[in-house]
mmCIF file of all heavy atoms in Angstrom:
data_model
loop_
_atom_site.group_PDB
_atom_site.id
_atom_site.type_symbol
_atom_site.label_atom_id
_atom_site.label_comp_id
_atom_site.label_asym_id
_atom_site.label_seq_id
_atom_site.Cartn_x
_atom_site.Cartn_y
_atom_site.Cartn_z
ATOM 1 N N LEU A 25 0.843 -1.190 -0.076
ATOM 2 C CA LEU A 25 0.021 0.025 -0.061
ATOM 3 C C LEU A 25 0.883 1.253 0.099
ATOM 4 O O LEU A 25 1.894 1.320 0.833
ATOM 5 C CB LEU A 25 -0.988 -0.024 1.218
ATOM 6 C CG LEU A 25 -1.849 -1.189 1.475
ATOM 7 C CD1 LEU A 25 -2.628 -1.029 2.783
ATOM 8 C CD2 LEU A 25 -2.750 -1.332 0.324
ATOM 9 N N PHE A 26 0.573 2.147 -0.849
ATOM 10 C CA PHE A 26 1.380 3.452 -0.860
ATOM 11 C C PHE A 26 0.475 4.654 -0.364
ATOM 12 O O PHE A 26 -0.715 4.675 -0.744
ATOM 13 C CB PHE A 26 1.748 3.740 -2.364
ATOM 14 C CG PHE A 26 2.670 2.782 -2.954
ATOM 15 C CD1 PHE A 26 2.296 1.692 -3.825
ATOM 16 C CD2 PHE A 26 4.227 2.925 -2.698
ATOM 17 C CE1 PHE A 26 3.219 0.838 -4.290
ATOM 18 C CE2 PHE A 26 5.054 1.914 -3.153
ATOM 19 C CZ PHE A 26 4.463 1.111 -3.961
ATOM 20 N N VAL A 27 1.131 5.417 0.432
ATOM 21 C CA VAL A 27 0.474 6.569 1.102
ATOM 22 C C VAL A 27 1.235 7.802 1.084
ATOM 23 O O VAL A 27 2.412 7.721 1.157
ATOM 24 C CB VAL A 27 0.151 6.071 2.652
ATOM 25 C CG1 VAL A 27 -0.630 7.195 3.468
ATOM 26 C CG2 VAL A 27 -0.543 4.774 2.923
ATOM 27 N N PHE A 28 0.488 8.952 1.004
ATOM 28 C CA PHE A 28 1.166 10.198 1.135
ATOM 29 C C PHE A 28 0.809 10.876 2.545
ATOM 30 O O PHE A 28 -0.359 10.678 2.968
ATOM 31 C CB PHE A 28 0.611 11.113 -0.065
ATOM 32 C CG PHE A 28 0.851 12.588 0.139
ATOM 33 C CD1 PHE A 28 2.056 12.992 -0.192
ATOM 34 C CD2 PHE A 28 -0.111 13.430 0.608
ATOM 35 C CE1 PHE A 28 2.389 14.328 -0.025
ATOM 36 C CE2 PHE A 28 0.047 14.784 0.777
ATOM 37 C CZ PHE A 28 1.381 15.293 0.512
ATOM 38 N N SER A 29 1.639 11.608 3.052
ATOM 39 C CA SER A 29 1.425 12.161 4.230
ATOM 40 C C SER A 29 2.268 13.444 4.450
ATOM 41 O O SER A 29 3.170 13.612 3.751
ATOM 42 C CB SER A 29 1.652 11.319 5.456
ATOM 43 O OG SER A 29 1.496 11.989 6.620
ATOM 44 N N MET A 30 1.991 14.357 5.355
ATOM 45 C CA MET A 30 2.680 15.299 5.848
ATOM 46 C C MET A 30 3.379 14.999 7.211
ATOM 47 O O MET A 30 2.871 14.095 7.739
ATOM 48 C CB MET A 30 1.843 16.747 5.942
ATOM 49 C CG MET A 30 1.184 17.145 4.750
ATOM 50 S SD MET A 30 2.217 17.449 3.302
ATOM 51 C CE MET A 30 2.967 19.014 3.865
ATOM 52 N N PRO A 31 4.378 15.740 7.561
ATOM 53 C CA PRO A 31 4.947 15.312 9.005
ATOM 54 C C PRO A 31 3.897 15.469 10.041
ATOM 55 O O PRO A 31 2.987 16.277 9.987
ATOM 56 C CB PRO A 31 6.091 16.304 9.128
ATOM 57 C CG PRO A 31 6.393 16.927 7.765
ATOM 58 C CD PRO A 31 5.026 16.800 6.921
ATOM 59 N N GLY A 32 3.972 14.553 11.028
ATOM 60 C CA GLY A 32 3.092 14.707 12.201
ATOM 61 C C GLY A 32 3.260 13.384 12.994
ATOM 62 O O GLY A 32 4.253 12.549 12.872
ATOM 63 N N LEU A 33 2.292 13.222 13.938
ATOM 64 C CA LEU A 33 2.361 12.181 14.887
ATOM 65 C C LEU A 33 2.520 10.710 14.328
ATOM 66 O O LEU A 33 3.325 9.915 14.693
ATOM 67 C CB LEU A 33 1.225 12.210 15.895
ATOM 68 C CG LEU A 33 1.330 11.339 17.107
ATOM 69 C CD1 LEU A 33 2.567 11.359 17.800
ATOM 70 C CD2 LEU A 33 0.131 11.402 17.882
ATOM 71 N N LYS A 34 1.765 10.460 13.236
ATOM 72 C CA LYS A 34 1.657 9.160 12.685
ATOM 73 C C LYS A 34 3.082 8.835 12.117
ATOM 74 O O LYS A 34 3.506 7.668 12.237
ATOM 75 C CB LYS A 34 0.583 8.830 11.647
ATOM 76 C CG LYS A 34 0.797 9.422 10.320
ATOM 77 C CD LYS A 34 -0.382 8.974 9.384
ATOM 78 C CE LYS A 34 -0.374 9.803 8.140
ATOM 79 N NZ LYS A 34 -0.834 11.166 8.460
ATOM 80 N N ILE A 35 3.698 9.807 11.551
ATOM 81 C CA ILE A 35 5.040 9.561 10.872
ATOM 82 C C ILE A 35 5.985 9.337 11.948
ATOM 83 O O ILE A 35 6.885 8.501 11.796
ATOM 84 C CB ILE A 35 5.280 10.729 9.880
ATOM 85 C CG1 ILE A 35 4.410 10.775 8.744
ATOM 86 C CG2 ILE A 35 6.841 10.556 9.482
ATOM 87 C CD1 ILE A 35 4.400 9.583 7.897
ATOM 88 N N ASP A 36 6.035 10.228 12.992
ATOM 89 C CA ASP A 36 6.767 10.004 14.094
ATOM 90 C C ASP A 36 6.781 8.634 14.691
ATOM 91 O O ASP A 36 7.877 8.053 15.055
ATOM 92 C CB ASP A 36 6.543 11.027 15.260
ATOM 93 C CG ASP A 36 6.821 12.497 14.739
ATOM 94 O OD1 ASP A 36 7.604 12.620 13.725
ATOM 95 O OD2 ASP A 36 6.455 13.397 15.332
ATOM 96 N N LEU A 37 5.542 8.163 14.907
ATOM 97 C CA LEU A 37 5.324 6.923 15.528
ATOM 98 C C LEU A 37 5.757 5.720 14.718
ATOM 99 O O LEU A 37 6.413 4.829 15.120
ATOM 100 C CB LEU A 37 3.829 6.726 15.908
ATOM 101 C CG LEU A 37 3.381 7.613 17.056
ATOM 102 C CD1 LEU A 37 1.754 7.515 17.160
ATOM 103 C CD2 LEU A 37 4.106 7.288 18.402
ATOM 104 N N LEU A 38 5.526 5.858 13.348
ATOM 105 C CA LEU A 38 5.956 4.846 12.374
ATOM 106 C C LEU A 38 7.500 4.760 12.262
ATOM 107 O O LEU A 38 7.956 3.613 12.136
ATOM 108 C CB LEU A 38 5.252 4.996 11.065
ATOM 109 C CG LEU A 38 3.728 4.758 11.015
ATOM 110 C CD1 LEU A 38 3.096 5.292 9.613
ATOM 111 C CD2 LEU A 38 3.512 3.210 11.067
ATOM 112 N N ARG A 39 8.014 5.884 12.323
ATOM 113 C CA ARG A 39 9.523 5.991 12.253
ATOM 114 C C ARG A 39 10.217 5.278 13.535
ATOM 115 O O ARG A 39 11.210 4.567 13.398
ATOM 116 C CB ARG A 39 10.011 7.365 12.072
ATOM 117 C CG ARG A 39 9.785 8.012 10.790
ATOM 118 C CD ARG A 39 10.232 9.460 10.772
ATOM 119 N NE ARG A 39 10.225 9.962 9.375
ATOM 120 C CZ ARG A 39 10.175 11.239 9.107
ATOM 121 N NH1 ARG A 39 10.244 12.241 10.086
ATOM 122 N NH2 ARG A 39 10.162 11.702 7.927
ATOM 123 N N ALA A 40 9.524 5.310 14.635
ATOM 124 C CA ALA A 40 9.973 4.850 15.783
ATOM 125 C C ALA A 40 9.549 3.395 15.969
ATOM 126 O O ALA A 40 10.380 2.513 16.454
ATOM 127 C CB ALA A 40 9.368 5.529 16.919
ATOM 128 N N HIS A 41 8.539 2.844 15.379
ATOM 129 C CA HIS A 41 8.092 1.474 15.408
ATOM 130 C C HIS A 41 7.475 1.246 14.075
ATOM 131 O O HIS A 41 6.332 1.594 13.801
ATOM 132 C CB HIS A 41 7.084 1.235 16.543
ATOM 133 C CG HIS A 41 7.598 1.707 17.868
ATOM 134 N ND1 HIS A 41 8.439 0.945 18.570
ATOM 135 C CD2 HIS A 41 7.138 2.761 18.576
ATOM 136 C CE1 HIS A 41 8.675 1.651 19.659
ATOM 137 N NE2 HIS A 41 7.952 2.823 19.682
ATOM 138 N N SER A 42 8.041 0.416 13.178
ATOM 139 C CA SER A 42 7.647 0.076 11.877
ATOM 140 C C SER A 42 6.429 -0.789 11.694
ATOM 141 O O SER A 42 5.885 -0.671 10.670
ATOM 142 C CB SER A 42 8.774 -0.439 11.069
ATOM 143 O OG SER A 42 9.220 -1.594 11.355
ATOM 144 N N PRO A 43 6.032 -1.564 12.672
ATOM 145 C CA PRO A 43 4.854 -2.360 12.464
ATOM 146 C C PRO A 43 3.609 -1.440 12.261
ATOM 147 O O PRO A 43 3.432 -0.498 13.022
ATOM 148 C CB PRO A 43 4.664 -3.241 13.687
ATOM 149 C CG PRO A 43 6.096 -3.263 14.184
ATOM 150 C CD PRO A 43 6.751 -2.035 13.918
ATOM 151 N N ALA A 44 2.715 -1.853 11.258
ATOM 152 C CA ALA A 44 1.600 -1.095 10.991
ATOM 153 C C ALA A 44 0.453 -1.971 10.665
ATOM 154 O O ALA A 44 0.697 -3.087 10.253
ATOM 155 C CB ALA A 44 1.836 -0.114 9.863
ATOM 156 N N CYS A 45 -0.807 -1.429 10.745
ATOM 157 C CA CYS A 45 -1.857 -2.150 10.367
ATOM 158 C C CYS A 45 -2.878 -1.344 9.669
ATOM 159 O O CYS A 45 -3.065 -0.127 10.019
ATOM 160 C CB CYS A 45 -2.615 -2.708 11.741
ATOM 161 S SG CYS A 45 -3.876 -3.863 11.307
ATOM 162 N N VAL A 46 -3.493 -1.762 8.500
ATOM 163 C CA VAL A 46 -4.472 -1.008 7.782
ATOM 164 C C VAL A 46 -5.757 -1.794 7.678
ATOM 165 O O VAL A 46 -5.728 -3.032 7.414
ATOM 166 C CB VAL A 46 -3.944 -0.683 6.458
ATOM 167 C CG1 VAL A 46 -5.009 0.038 5.542
ATOM 168 C CG2 VAL A 46 -2.637 0.179 6.432
ATOM 169 N N GLN A 47 -6.937 -1.157 8.076
ATOM 170 C CA GLN A 47 -8.215 -1.762 7.809
ATOM 171 C C GLN A 47 -9.004 -1.073 6.894
ATOM 172 O O GLN A 47 -9.149 0.170 6.845
ATOM 173 C CB GLN A 47 -8.930 -1.779 9.308
ATOM 174 C CG GLN A 47 -10.172 -2.559 9.351
ATOM 175 C CD GLN A 47 -11.361 -1.614 9.107
ATOM 176 O OE1 GLN A 47 -11.438 -0.401 9.202
ATOM 177 N NE2 GLN A 47 -12.446 -2.334 8.775
ATOM 178 N N VAL A 48 -9.663 -1.815 5.972
ATOM 179 C CA VAL A 48 -10.523 -1.252 4.890
ATOM 180 C C VAL A 48 -11.873 -2.029 4.955
ATOM 181 O O VAL A 48 -11.942 -3.209 5.208
ATOM 182 C CB VAL A 48 -9.799 -1.411 3.494
ATOM 183 C CG1 VAL A 48 -10.717 -0.893 2.455
ATOM 184 C CG2 VAL A 48 -8.464 -0.841 3.452
ATOM 185 N N GLU A 49 -12.881 -1.203 4.804
ATOM 186 C CA GLU A 49 -14.194 -1.822 5.039
ATOM 187 C C GLU A 49 -15.171 -1.213 4.040
ATOM 188 O O GLU A 49 -14.879 -0.333 3.312
ATOM 189 C CB GLU A 49 -14.740 -1.505 6.394
ATOM 190 C CG GLU A 49 -15.052 0.081 6.654
ATOM 191 C CD GLU A 49 -15.214 0.492 8.071
ATOM 192 O OE1 GLU A 49 -14.930 -0.301 8.993
ATOM 193 O OE2 GLU A 49 -15.690 1.524 8.242
ATOM 194 N N GLU A 50 -16.227 -1.966 3.736
ATOM 195 C CA GLU A 50 -17.261 -1.678 2.841
ATOM 196 C C GLU A 50 -18.640 -2.152 3.521
ATOM 197 O O GLU A 50 -18.755 -3.280 3.918
ATOM 198 C CB GLU A 50 -17.046 -2.315 1.589
ATOM 199 C CG GLU A 50 -18.085 -2.279 0.493
ATOM 200 C CD GLU A 50 -17.787 -2.874 -0.723
ATOM 201 O OE1 GLU A 50 -16.996 -2.525 -1.544
ATOM 202 O OE2 GLU A 50 -18.361 -4.052 -0.867
ATOM 203 N N PHE A 51 -19.560 -1.215 3.458
ATOM 204 C CA PHE A 51 -21.005 -1.725 3.966
ATOM 205 C C PHE A 51 -21.901 -1.710 2.820
ATOM 206 O O PHE A 51 -21.940 -0.742 2.007
ATOM 207 C CB PHE A 51 -21.533 -0.750 4.994
ATOM 208 C CG PHE A 51 -20.645 -0.791 6.315
ATOM 209 C CD1 PHE A 51 -19.622 0.190 6.406
ATOM 210 C CD2 PHE A 51 -20.940 -1.694 7.302
ATOM 211 C CE1 PHE A 51 -18.934 0.108 7.586
ATOM 212 C CE2 PHE A 51 -20.099 -1.798 8.311
ATOM 213 C CZ PHE A 51 -19.109 -0.810 8.510
ATOM 214 N N GLY A 52 -22.676 -2.887 2.719
ATOM 215 C CA GLY A 52 -23.586 -2.988 1.441
ATOM 216 C C GLY A 52 -25.038 -2.803 2.008
ATOM 217 O O GLY A 52 -25.201 -2.480 3.209
ATOM 218 N N GLU A 53 -25.925 -3.314 1.105
ATOM 219 C CA GLU A 53 -27.324 -3.320 1.345
ATOM 220 C C GLU A 53 -27.689 -4.519 2.370
ATOM 221 O O GLU A 53 -26.872 -5.465 2.384
ATOM 222 C CB GLU A 53 -28.110 -3.322 0.195
ATOM 223 C CG GLU A 53 -27.984 -2.197 -0.663
ATOM 224 C CD GLU A 53 -28.803 -2.191 -1.958
ATOM 225 O OE1 GLU A 53 -29.751 -3.035 -2.076
ATOM 226 O OE2 GLU A 53 -28.556 -1.398 -2.836
ATOM 227 N N ASN A 54 -28.821 -4.331 3.065
ATOM 228 C CA ASN A 54 -29.222 -5.360 3.952
ATOM 229 C C ASN A 54 -28.282 -5.924 4.880
ATOM 230 O O ASN A 54 -28.071 -7.137 5.152
ATOM 231 C CB ASN A 54 -29.747 -6.595 3.008
ATOM 232 C CG ASN A 54 -30.910 -6.194 1.984
ATOM 233 O OD1 ASN A 54 -31.701 -5.373 2.514
ATOM 234 N ND2 ASN A 54 -30.812 -6.690 0.821
ATOM 235 N N ARG A 55 -27.467 -5.045 5.478
ATOM 236 C CA ARG A 55 -26.472 -5.315 6.618
ATOM 237 C C ARG A 55 -25.329 -6.222 6.117
ATOM 238 O O ARG A 55 -24.814 -6.891 7.057
ATOM 239 C CB ARG A 55 -27.173 -5.886 7.852
ATOM 240 C CG ARG A 55 -28.262 -5.136 8.393
ATOM 241 C CD ARG A 55 -28.970 -5.500 9.622
ATOM 242 N NE ARG A 55 -28.841 -6.962 9.871
ATOM 243 C CZ ARG A 55 -29.832 -7.708 10.323
ATOM 244 N NH1 ARG A 55 -30.928 -7.158 10.642
ATOM 245 N NH2 ARG A 55 -29.609 -9.012 10.608
ATOM 246 N N THR A 56 -25.059 -6.201 4.837
ATOM 247 C CA THR A 56 -23.816 -6.997 4.406
ATOM 248 C C THR A 56 -22.557 -6.056 4.577
ATOM 249 O O THR A 56 -22.835 -4.792 4.510
ATOM 250 C CB THR A 56 -24.011 -7.323 3.073
ATOM 251 O OG1 THR A 56 -24.201 -6.370 2.044
ATOM 252 C CG2 THR A 56 -25.249 -8.295 2.728
ATOM 253 N N TRP A 57 -21.486 -6.713 4.648
ATOM 254 C CA TRP A 57 -20.257 -5.922 4.794
ATOM 255 C C TRP A 57 -19.017 -6.692 4.501
ATOM 256 O O TRP A 57 -19.188 -7.978 4.507
ATOM 257 C CB TRP A 57 -20.164 -5.212 6.234
ATOM 258 C CG TRP A 57 -20.166 -6.224 7.435
ATOM 259 C CD1 TRP A 57 -21.238 -6.444 8.166
ATOM 260 C CD2 TRP A 57 -19.110 -6.985 7.929
ATOM 261 N NE1 TRP A 57 -20.999 -7.425 9.084
ATOM 262 C CE2 TRP A 57 -19.653 -7.706 8.982
ATOM 263 C CE3 TRP A 57 -17.794 -7.182 7.709
ATOM 264 C CZ2 TRP A 57 -18.962 -8.617 9.873
ATOM 265 C CZ3 TRP A 57 -17.080 -8.066 8.314
ATOM 266 C CH2 TRP A 57 -17.617 -8.701 9.439
ATOM 267 N N LYS A 58 -17.966 -6.089 4.168
ATOM 268 C CA LYS A 58 -16.579 -6.763 3.955
ATOM 269 C C LYS A 58 -15.509 -5.900 4.865
ATOM 270 O O LYS A 58 -15.681 -4.615 4.850
ATOM 271 C CB LYS A 58 -16.262 -6.733 2.631
ATOM 272 C CG LYS A 58 -16.998 -7.693 1.742
ATOM 273 C CD LYS A 58 -16.600 -7.694 0.406
ATOM 274 C CE LYS A 58 -17.372 -8.565 -0.541
ATOM 275 N NZ LYS A 58 -16.907 -8.588 -1.903
ATOM 276 N N SER A 59 -14.631 -6.520 5.541
ATOM 277 C CA SER A 59 -13.563 -5.906 6.130
ATOM 278 C C SER A 59 -12.200 -6.611 5.929
ATOM 279 O O SER A 59 -12.196 -7.947 6.096
ATOM 280 C CB SER A 59 -13.967 -5.870 7.635
ATOM 281 O OG SER A 59 -12.897 -5.229 8.300
ATOM 282 N N VAL A 60 -11.236 -5.998 5.473
ATOM 283 C CA VAL A 60 -9.964 -6.468 5.225
ATOM 284 C C VAL A 60 -8.945 -5.878 6.234
ATOM 285 O O VAL A 60 -9.005 -4.650 6.320
ATOM 286 C CB VAL A 60 -9.570 -6.302 3.818
ATOM 287 C CG1 VAL A 60 -8.114 -6.733 3.505
ATOM 288 C CG2 VAL A 60 -10.476 -7.233 2.897
ATOM 289 N N LEU A 61 -8.071 -6.601 6.641
ATOM 290 C CA LEU A 61 -7.049 -6.157 7.672
ATOM 291 C C LEU A 61 -5.697 -6.506 7.016
ATOM 292 O O LEU A 61 -5.466 -7.705 6.706
ATOM 293 C CB LEU A 61 -7.225 -6.780 8.971
ATOM 294 C CG LEU A 61 -6.373 -6.387 10.098
ATOM 295 C CD1 LEU A 61 -6.790 -4.966 10.489
ATOM 296 C CD2 LEU A 61 -6.467 -7.381 11.357
ATOM 297 N N VAL A 62 -4.813 -5.585 7.011
ATOM 298 C CA VAL A 62 -3.362 -5.674 6.472
ATOM 299 C C VAL A 62 -2.499 -5.569 7.621
ATOM 300 O O VAL A 62 -2.552 -4.456 8.440
ATOM 301 C CB VAL A 62 -3.084 -4.687 5.519
ATOM 302 C CG1 VAL A 62 -1.563 -4.643 5.089
ATOM 303 C CG2 VAL A 62 -3.916 -4.912 4.186
ATOM 304 N N GLN A 63 -1.646 -6.485 7.898
ATOM 305 C CA GLN A 63 -0.645 -6.216 8.919
ATOM 306 C C GLN A 63 0.766 -6.257 8.143
ATOM 307 O O GLN A 63 1.087 -7.120 7.177
ATOM 308 C CB GLN A 63 -0.569 -7.431 9.896
ATOM 309 C CG GLN A 63 -1.799 -7.327 10.802
ATOM 310 C CD GLN A 63 -2.041 -8.546 11.694
ATOM 311 O OE1 GLN A 63 -1.936 -9.756 11.083
ATOM 312 N NE2 GLN A 63 -2.216 -8.347 12.871
ATOM 313 N N GLY A 64 1.536 -5.283 8.475
ATOM 314 C CA GLY A 64 2.813 -5.094 7.601
ATOM 315 C C GLY A 64 3.741 -4.110 8.267
ATOM 316 O O GLY A 64 3.794 -3.898 9.418
ATOM 317 N N THR A 65 4.727 -3.722 7.393
ATOM 318 C CA THR A 65 5.800 -2.882 7.883
ATOM 319 C C THR A 65 5.947 -1.558 7.026
ATOM 320 O O THR A 65 5.760 -1.491 5.965
ATOM 321 C CB THR A 65 7.116 -3.723 7.738
ATOM 322 O OG1 THR A 65 6.916 -4.926 8.440
ATOM 323 C CG2 THR A 65 8.406 -2.873 8.267
ATOM 324 N N TYR A 66 6.168 -0.481 7.875
ATOM 325 C CA TYR A 66 6.240 0.864 7.290
ATOM 326 C C TYR A 66 7.655 0.934 6.677
ATOM 327 O O TYR A 66 8.658 0.600 7.153
ATOM 328 C CB TYR A 66 6.192 1.851 8.405
ATOM 329 C CG TYR A 66 6.582 3.205 8.056
ATOM 330 C CD1 TYR A 66 5.709 4.224 7.541
ATOM 331 C CD2 TYR A 66 7.770 3.879 8.515
ATOM 332 C CE1 TYR A 66 6.005 5.425 7.292
ATOM 333 C CE2 TYR A 66 8.232 5.067 8.250
ATOM 334 C CZ TYR A 66 7.315 5.924 7.624
ATOM 335 O OH TYR A 66 7.672 7.247 7.364
ATOM 336 N N ASP A 67 7.633 1.499 5.392
ATOM 337 C CA ASP A 67 8.831 1.730 4.597
ATOM 338 C C ASP A 67 8.742 3.102 4.132
ATOM 339 O O ASP A 67 7.948 3.376 3.091
ATOM 340 C CB ASP A 67 9.078 0.752 3.728
ATOM 341 C CG ASP A 67 10.248 0.956 2.883
ATOM 342 O OD1 ASP A 67 11.283 1.452 3.193
ATOM 343 O OD2 ASP A 67 10.270 0.599 1.634
ATOM 344 N N GLU A 68 9.420 4.206 4.646
ATOM 345 C CA GLU A 68 9.526 5.545 4.071
ATOM 346 C C GLU A 68 10.229 5.594 2.805
ATOM 347 O O GLU A 68 11.292 5.186 2.748
ATOM 348 C CB GLU A 68 9.904 6.511 5.140
ATOM 349 C CG GLU A 68 9.837 7.890 4.758
ATOM 350 C CD GLU A 68 10.012 8.899 5.883
ATOM 351 O OE1 GLU A 68 9.903 8.503 7.070
ATOM 352 O OE2 GLU A 68 10.333 10.092 5.647
ATOM 353 N N LEU A 69 9.630 6.249 1.713
ATOM 354 C CA LEU A 69 10.304 6.481 0.480
ATOM 355 C C LEU A 69 10.866 7.831 0.632
ATOM 356 O O LEU A 69 10.279 8.923 0.180
ATOM 357 C CB LEU A 69 9.310 6.390 -0.610
ATOM 358 C CG LEU A 69 8.401 5.123 -0.618
ATOM 359 C CD1 LEU A 69 7.421 5.123 -1.687
ATOM 360 C CD2 LEU A 69 9.302 3.860 -0.815
#
């Protein structure tokens, strides 16, 4: 996953501890849903 950011707390925390998690969700009709969880490592470009 590629992300753009400005300096701030999340970048400070990720630089100190590279483990990260991303959650993506989608809600459909009639109470259906999907949720995906990514566990990985921060790598600053």
Side-chain angles (χ1 to χ4, degrees):
L25 302 179
F26 293 99
V27 183
F28 166 78
S29 180
M30 300 301 284
L33 181 57
K34 78 174 164 290
I35 298 300
D36 293 343
L37 294 172
L38 288 165
R39 284 174 175 165
H41 306 282
S42 64
C45 188
V46 175
Q47 185 265 342
V48 180
E49 63 194 17
E50 172 185 282
F51 295 97
E53 295 180 15
N54 301 319
R55 298 186 341 224
T56 61
W57 55 265
K58 292 181 181 181
S59 177
V60 170
L61 188 67
V62 169
Q63 294 170 306
T65 304
Y66 169 81
D67 178 30
E68 189 167 333
L69 306 176

